Amino acid sequence: MKRWEVVRSTILNDIVAGAFEDGRLPGDLVLAERFGVNRHTVRNAIKVLESEGALRVEHGVGTFVADDFVADRSSNERRFTYKLLGQNKSLKTEILSINEAPVEAAIAKHLNIAPTVPVTELRSVSFINDSPLATGMSYFPIDRAPGLAAAFEEVDSFTAALKRCGIAEYKRKWTRITARRPTPQEAQRLRISSSSPVLFETNVDVIPDGSPIKCSFSVIRSDRFEYLVDGNEDDVGVSLPRRAI
């Protein structure tokens, strides 16, 4: 085996054994000294492990075991993702920022407003059992949900905040789902490697009179989210609450 392969294999064994406290690997220099190799060899091994989904690298911060990596102890070369589906779940949303500003034309069209009209923009991360599930951005017309920014104080869901604004009922109009790789920032927020595929969801919710109340763009961990679509055109369900972000 080449030197980087030895380093990779040993680090993988350590991951399986849970040898890294808090999931964080030692620095390159420490690992290089441990294996008697140069830093370039260590970085090659880490790069391969990252591409395989075992590690996530946060530049300027450190290298961590990917949160969605689970290895079968009977074979160090086997890897599988796990799902929290079917287990007891507690879903919550953390608001990263709230701003009021005009949006680009495509989003304004989804909300049926003029591009110059300001909206409430929310950046958020949702968690299931304290583990990140999704991150994204949502846009609300200010005139249809006045005081939304203040309504989010002490609540951790869009439904609860909208109720404070007088929106007691809304439903999904449409959802579009694609797949891609996460950006470095998205991977960091979701605690996954940059090579792990994610679901990218665009959706629009409307109030009873048909007016759009929310347009969202969400990046969802594919290992923790599953859509279930049955044969009834008016009944589309998912394995987790539809308004997860």
Side-chain angles (χ1 to χ4, degrees), residues 109-219:
K109 183 177 180 181
H110 289 326
L111 294 174
N112 195 24
I113 60 175
T116 55
V117 175
V119 302
T120 302
E121 174 194 279
L122 283 82
R123 295 176 183 267
S124 63
V125 179
S126 60
F127 295 83
I128 183 169
N129 290 353
D130 296 321
S131 296
L133 169 68
T135 184
M137 299 177 64
S138 297
Y139 304 88
F140 302 80
I142 291 178
D143 62 340
R144 295 173 198 156
L148 183 61
F152 266 98
E153 295 181 6
E154 299 181 0
V155 299
D156 59 4
S157 77
F158 288 163
T159 300
L162 285 170
K163 282 185 177 179
R164 290 185 169 188
C165 299
I167 307 298
E169 182 182 352
Y170 64 103
K171 65 179 181 180
R172 181 62 43 86
K173 182 178 181 180
W174 58 263
T175 299
R176 180 185 298 116
I177 306 168
T178 57
R180 62 171 172 81
R181 301 292 184 185
T183 65
Q185 184 181 57
E186 291 165 351
Q188 180 177 345
R189 287 179 181 172
L190 297 177
R191 302 177 197 166
I192 58 176
S193 72
S194 57
S195 64
S196 297
V198 293
L199 300 175
F200 182 69
E201 177 186 301
T202 305
N203 61 62
V204 170
D205 289 344
V206 296
I207 54 180
D209 69 2
S211 301
I213 190 63
K214 176 170 72 75
C215 174
S216 292
F217 301 90
S218 305
V219 179

